[in-house]
Amino acid sequence: MFNKLSNILQHAVEALAPDTPIHEDFVYHWKSVTNFYIENTDDKTPVTDCNIPSHLKQMVQLLLQEEEQRDAGDTGPCMEYLLQHKILETLYTLGKADCPPGMKQQVLVFFKHILGRVKQPLLPHINVHRPVAKLVQICGEVRAGPTETEEVQFLCTVCARLKREPHLIHFFLSNCGAGGNTIQPSQNAASASSSSAADHSQKTDTKNERNDLVDSLLNLSKSEDSRVAVKACEGLLLLVSMPYQAARATVEDTQLCPLLTSRLTSLFTSMPASLDPSDVESLTVKWGLDSHGYAYGDVGNFTGKRSVVSFLSWFDYCDTLIMEAHQSCGDYIARSISTNFFRTTLIGPIMQADEKAALTTTAILTKLLTMVRSKQLLREVIDFIIPPTPTDDDQVAGGEETKQVDNKLLLRLFERCDHISDEISIVTLRLFETLLSKSNQIPLQRLVIDYLRKRGYHAKNPGNIVVQAESEELEWDLEPGLDQQASRKSSMTEQLPLSELKDGDSDSPKMMIQRAVHSFLSVLPDSAKSSQVQDDDSGYDSYLREAHRSYKDICNLCKDFEWPDVKSLKSETPERCPVVSEYDEGPFLTMLFGKISRLLSQPYAVNLVVTSIASRLTLLPHPNTHELFADPLTPLRPKARSLFTVIQLLAEQVIQRIVHVNNFKSKLITARRNLTGLSDDESTPARSKGFHGSSGPGSMTSQMSDTNDHKTFLEGAIVLEEFCKELAAIAFVKHHSDATSSSSDNSAPSL
């Protein structure tokens, strides 16, 4: 009460008294602060019960007023007094001692206003940058301290000032000598004439240099107050986004990267060892936007959710840090995360034989791959999963041991696609699906295109020609088996209605579209389909609309990949391709075609992921994948497989197994209705039609039991049927797009 009355009387006296020079007023307020320590003997009186806050506030206002009245760059008497009498140094001492209680908070606010609101350059002055650097060091020392908010605001003000004056970053760098002794920046400046040997030792051990701003901001980023943590992260973003030399001093010459990765490792190891992949996949996490509720009874809650969210949030922040940093500094951070987290921490549990650890870690890796946005970190994650071959120009730097571990990881992932546990198979397949969907061509290149670019699969590849000498002349013959493929191609043409063949040349673009679409739609006989083509619920129209949208999206995604156009196959005959004596489709396509060939014996969930990957490869605007996936008329060499030939073999298996399933058509329709979620009442009429003549509840019970016995086969047949519709729609969209672009170029040759 007495403090409020004294403030009121002071303001009244100031209002009635005649105007005094700004300089004298500034000196008066500062002496009022120092007189408090001379006259007051009670060091436990809170600073809010005295006049110190108001005096400091008036000093800031006077400095701003003086700056407005003078020309730019002209230092007034108030500022000279502040610099000459080392006022900031004195305030730092008082703030560090926190005497009276709460003084540290007032000092932080004063420094923040001086650095944030005064426009003239202050940091170059030794009586400014030295106390500022000292004050930076004591920020973040106490976890959950009462001055966290003021500390992070002061630190961000310093970072913003350095953003405008990046050449002053060295004021906040200090060298840690042997024994942990810290050499202050001012001492560094004084010892600028040190020996060259000392300079060489400093360069060879740059991590002995520390950035006090980085240390304090990282400490505050661990605050339980989310606002303080986010503000501290924003301060680090300001530091790394400075020009290269200043950012390099922050990123490469300090402990920033080790601290980032150590915290990433700590958060990863704090997560539960067993997590449901669906729970991990359902999370939407962004750093600074942790709005996830943990209320009791929330359906989105699961054990360990808070720790998973914390880990993913910090990873997203590291990714954002790389995006905002200078490119070279971003590369350095990404390499550090790859080396010290992915190749050191993550590789262990993902390679374990323990199914729970493998399942959880693969789901986490897939989530990280989904979240990553920076090009540098995406490249490092891709190299971690799919290492470059020795012939790649973009081979990663590293020892032979690291490459062997990476090769083992890729082989282990291929094995897990056929794991006895369906959960592990699904989560591993989704990892590859996520890889192929990223806006980077390296996964597609290393998994698929590198094995196809020489067109070794084509029947007319020069490596598929055998030279035979008979008498005195040479004859060029195809390997055995090509005649059957040629007859198969001609039989496809014969299957088309005669009216369609009369419309024009069989190699015209229109006929090629019709033949490609017809090949996929007719590979299954009508007796093996759960819906007829003419039915309203056949779904082909919806697949056509979806294929058009998906092809447009994937073309936009791949427009910067520098791939050859699909039309380039028309101008390059297979005979001119490089000789491929033994065609190798690669381990990924071997795995994928193997999974597709087992659609009839795999669970429904596995089939959905497998067909999704195959559909994406079919949509790719690359000439080699187009030939092998979207063009069923491509002539193949013996033992070579395409997507269409694998589907043909599947269709033959369906036809052979139909005879062993009683009332197959009715059971197939029942299984389709169960998959689409229709009720039993709605499916009863369709199901009872196949049992004309049977009566009684016993027949219905035996029907349902028989349907369950063949559930995997029936669901696989339905997936195959729908997959063929989807492929037909994709083939139509791609061939039509190619034909349209060809006609615009006044050319329409055959594929």
Side-chain angles (χ1 to χ4, degrees):
M1 186 66 181
F2 177 77
N3 182 37
K4 293 182 179 179
L5 291 175
S6 62
N7 285 337
I8 294 174
L9 291 175
Q10 179 182 346
H11 290 304
V13 171
E14 291 176 355
L16 296 175
D19 293 338
T20 57
I22 295 179
H23 173 255
E24 294 181 7
D25 204 5
F26 185 82
V27 174
Y28 161 75
H29 286 292
W30 173 241
K31 289 186 176 180
S32 298
V33 174
T34 56
N35 287 336
F36 171 82
Y37 292 92
I38 297 174
E39 300 172 356
N40 187 25
T41 58
D42 186 8
D43 57 356
K44 296 183 180 180
T45 302
V47 72
T48 54
D49 292 346
C50 60
N51 295 327
I52 290 179
S54 62
H55 288 304
L56 293 177
K57 183 178 180 181
Q58 288 298 322
M59 291 172 65
V60 174
Q61 294 298 331
L62 291 172
L63 288 172
L64 297 177
Q65 182 180 349
E66 179 185 68
E67 188 177 41
E68 292 177 357
Q69 295 175 356
R70 308 185 73 88
D71 296 334
D74 186 11
T75 303
C78 294
M79 183 60 69
E80 289 182 354
Y81 185 88
L82 180 139
L83 297 175
Q84 292 176 1
H85 290 77
K86 301 181 180 181
I87 292 179
L88 296 181
E89 192 81 38
T90 303
L91 286 175
Y92 157 72
T93 304
L94 297 175
K96 182 180 181 181
D98 198 25
C99 179
M103 188 60 186
K104 182 179 179 181
Q105 181 181 20
Q106 299 301 322
V107 171
L108 288 167
V109 172
F110 182 81
F111 273 67
K112 181 191 72 171
H113 288 314
I114 291 294
L115 295 176
R117 301 174 66 179
V118 176
K119 298 178 182 179
Q120 57 181 303
L122 294 177
L123 282 178
H125 296 279
I126 188 172
N127 290 333
V128 175
H129 69 72
R130 185 165 57 184
V132 169
K134 292 179 180 178
L135 190 59
V136 166
Q137 290 179 355
I138 65 174
C139 291
E141 286 184 337
V142 181
R143 289 291 301 272
T147 60
E148 274 189 341
T149 302
E150 290 75 17
E151 288 176 5
V152 76
Q153 290 175 351
F154 161 69
L155 293 175
C156 288
T157 302
V158 176
C159 294
R161 192 85 185 196
L162 290 175
K163 180 77 173 178
R164 300 196 299 267
E165 302 172 291
H167 59 284
L168 303 178
I169 186 66
H170 64 278
F171 288 140
F172 300 93
L173 301 178
S174 56
N175 294 332
C176 297
N181 296 325
T182 301
I183 305 174
Q184 295 298 333
S186 57
Q187 296 172 329
N188 291 338
S191 60
S193 59
S194 58
S195 63
S196 58
D199 293 339
H200 177 72
S201 64
Q202 180 179 353
K203 291 180 180 179
T204 56
D205 191 13
T206 57
K207 291 301 178 293
N208 281 339
E209 194 170 26
R210 53 180 289 184
N211 188 323
D212 298 320
L213 268 173
V214 172
D215 295 341
S216 298
L217 287 170
L218 282 173
N219 288 335
L220 289 172
S221 68
K222 304 174 185 178
S223 172
E224 295 296 331
D225 189 341
S226 60
R227 295 170 297 180
V228 173
V230 170
K231 196 71 176 177
C233 292
E234 291 175 352
L236 288 172
L237 287 176
L238 287 173
L239 289 179
V240 301
S241 62
M242 291 189 294
Y244 173 65
Q245 292 299 332
R248 180 181 178 276
T250 300
V251 174
E252 300 183 22
D253 298 340
T254 67
Q255 289 286 330
L256 175 63
C257 290
L259 290 173
L260 288 175
T261 54
S262 63
R263 183 171 178 185
L264 199 63
T265 299
S266 175
L267 292 172
F268 176 78
T269 55
S270 67
M271 293 190 302
S274 179
L275 290 170
D276 189 341
S278 61
D279 290 335
V280 177
E281 185 181 3
S282 64
L283 290 176
T284 302
V285 180
K286 292 289 183 183
W287 80 271
L289 298 176
D290 185 10
S291 59
H292 302 278
Y294 302 97
Y296 177 78
D298 186 1
V299 293
N301 284 346
F302 57 88
T303 304
K305 179 179 180 180
R306 184 180 293 274
S307 59
V308 176
V309 169
S310 299
F311 167 73
L312 295 178
S313 298
W314 188 248
F315 179 83
D316 186 63
Y317 172 70
C318 294
D319 186 41
T320 305
L321 205 65
I322 295 172
M323 293 177 63
E324 295 295 330
H326 187 278
Q327 182 175 357
S328 299
C329 296
D331 293 339
Y332 188 88
I333 299 174
R335 288 195 300 269
S336 175
I337 293 175
S338 175
T339 302
N340 299 317
F341 175 69
F342 283 102
R343 301 177 188 273
T344 304
T345 303
L346 197 68
I347 189 67
I350 202 173
M351 291 290 291
Q352 285 184 9
D354 182 14
E355 292 187 3
K356 291 183 178 180
L359 184 68
T360 300
T361 312
T362 307
I364 291 293
L365 179 58
T366 304
K367 186 65 178 180
L368 297 181
L369 190 60
T370 304
M371 293 173 57
V372 68
R373 295 168 294 159
S374 62
K375 294 181 180 180
Q376 299 99 316
L377 189 54
L378 175 60
R379 175 64 180 268
E380 293 295 335
V381 178
I382 291 173
D383 287 342
F384 168 69
I385 301 173
I386 315 172
T389 60
T391 58
D392 286 345
D393 297 333
D394 53 359
Q395 187 171 2
V396 293
E400 188 67 27
E401 182 179 354
T402 301
K403 296 175 190 176
Q404 291 179 358
V405 171
D406 283 343
N407 287 328
K408 291 180 180 178
L409 171 61
L410 184 61
L411 294 177
R412 182 67 59 86
L413 292 175
F414 285 141
E415 293 174 359
R416 286 178 179 166
C417 290
D418 287 321
H419 200 273
I420 189 173
S421 169
D422 294 332
E423 280 189 310
I424 293 182
S425 297
I426 291 173
V427 76
T428 309
L429 287 168
R430 283 178 177 163
L431 174 62
F432 284 111
E433 183 182 19
T434 306
L435 270 172
L436 299 179
S437 64
K438 301 301 291 186
S439 58
N440 191 302
Q441 66 181 20
I442 294 178
L444 292 165
Q445 203 76 28
R446 295 177 182 172
L447 291 177
V448 181
I449 297 174
D450 283 347
Y451 297 93
L452 306 180
R453 57 186 174 185
K454 295 182 180 180
R455 300 177 76 181
Y457 53 84
H458 205 284
K460 296 183 180 180
N461 184 277
N464 196 34
I465 304 295
V466 180
V467 182
Q468 296 180 347
E470 291 185 3
S471 63
E472 297 179 355
E473 62 182 17
L474 294 176
E475 296 181 358
W476 296 78
D477 296 331
L478 299 177
E479 288 185 3
L482 293 183
D483 294 338
Q484 298 177 0
Q485 294 183 1
S487 62
R488 181 187 300 168
K489 180 177 179 180
S490 61
S491 65
M492 292 179 187
T493 306
E494 294 174 359
Q495 291 176 0
L496 292 174
L498 189 60
S499 59
E500 295 182 359
L501 293 175
K502 291 180 180 179
D503 289 343
D505 183 26
S506 60
D507 289 336
S508 66
K510 180 179 179 181
M511 288 304 305
M512 297 301 292
I513 296 175
Q514 293 177 350
R515 292 166 63 183
V517 173
H518 185 268
S519 298
F520 284 116
L521 289 179
S522 62
V523 67
L524 272 177
D526 291 345
S527 59
K529 295 180 180 178
S530 59
S531 62
Q532 301 299 328
V533 178
Q534 64 271 17
D535 289 346
D536 293 336
D537 63 343
S538 63
Y540 178 70
D541 291 340
S542 61
Y543 281 121
L544 201 59
R545 290 189 294 270
E546 181 65 21
H548 179 75
R549 184 193 62 79
S550 300
Y551 185 62
K552 183 178 179 180
D553 292 342
I554 204 168
C555 285
N556 291 332
L557 186 68
C558 303
K559 63 182 179 181
D560 297 329
F561 286 3
E562 298 180 356
W563 282 347
D565 192 81
V566 175
K567 295 182 293 183
S568 63
L569 287 177
K570 300 178 180 180
S571 58
E572 180 183 357
T573 58
E575 293 85 349
R576 296 183 180 180
C577 293
V579 177
V580 179
S581 57
E582 295 184 3
Y583 167 62
D584 178 19
E585 62 187 6
F588 178 75
L589 288 185
T590 300
M591 177 273 298
L592 183 62
F593 285 153
K595 299 294 289 184
I596 295 175
S597 65
R598 295 189 291 274
L599 284 182
L600 302 179
S601 57
Q602 292 174 159
Y604 180 70
V606 176
N607 289 340
L608 290 182
V609 185
V610 171
T611 53
S612 176
I613 296 175
S615 300
R616 186 165 190 87
L617 293 177
T618 308
L619 282 165
L620 290 178
H622 191 280
N624 298 127
T625 57
H626 177 82
E627 267 193 328
L628 204 65
F629 285 85
D631 189 1
L633 308 178
T634 301
L636 302 175
R637 69 189 302 162
K639 299 182 181 180
R641 295 185 293 181
S642 70
L643 182 58
F644 181 70
T645 59
V646 175
I647 290 177
Q648 278 186 315
L649 295 176
L650 266 178
E652 294 176 3
Q653 295 179 26
V654 172
I655 295 173
Q656 294 173 1
R657 294 182 61 176
I658 285 177
V659 297
H660 300 290
V661 180
N662 296 328
N663 301 308
F664 170 78
K665 190 73 172 182
S666 177
K667 294 175 182 177
L668 189 67
I669 294 174
T670 301
R672 180 185 180 90
R673 288 180 173 271
N674 292 335
L675 290 177
T676 55
L678 296 179
S679 63
D680 292 340
D681 294 338
E682 295 178 359
S683 62
T684 300
R687 186 168 64 231
S688 61
K689 287 182 180 179
F691 290 89
H692 181 69
S694 62
S695 60
S699 61
M700 184 64 67
T701 303
S702 63
Q703 177 190 357
M704 294 300 299
S705 176
D706 200 9
T707 302
N708 292 330
D709 292 340
H710 300 283
K711 179 181 179 181
T712 302
F713 168 64
L714 295 174
E715 290 179 348
I718 294 171
V719 171
L720 177 61
E721 175 190 352
E722 298 300 314
F723 187 41
C724 289
K725 296 176 188 177
E726 184 178 8
L727 294 177
I730 295 173
F732 175 82
V733 170
K734 295 189 69 176
H735 284 275
H736 185 268
S737 175
D738 181 34
T740 304
S741 58
S742 298
S743 61
S744 63
D745 297 336
N746 296 323
S747 62
S750 60
L751 291 174

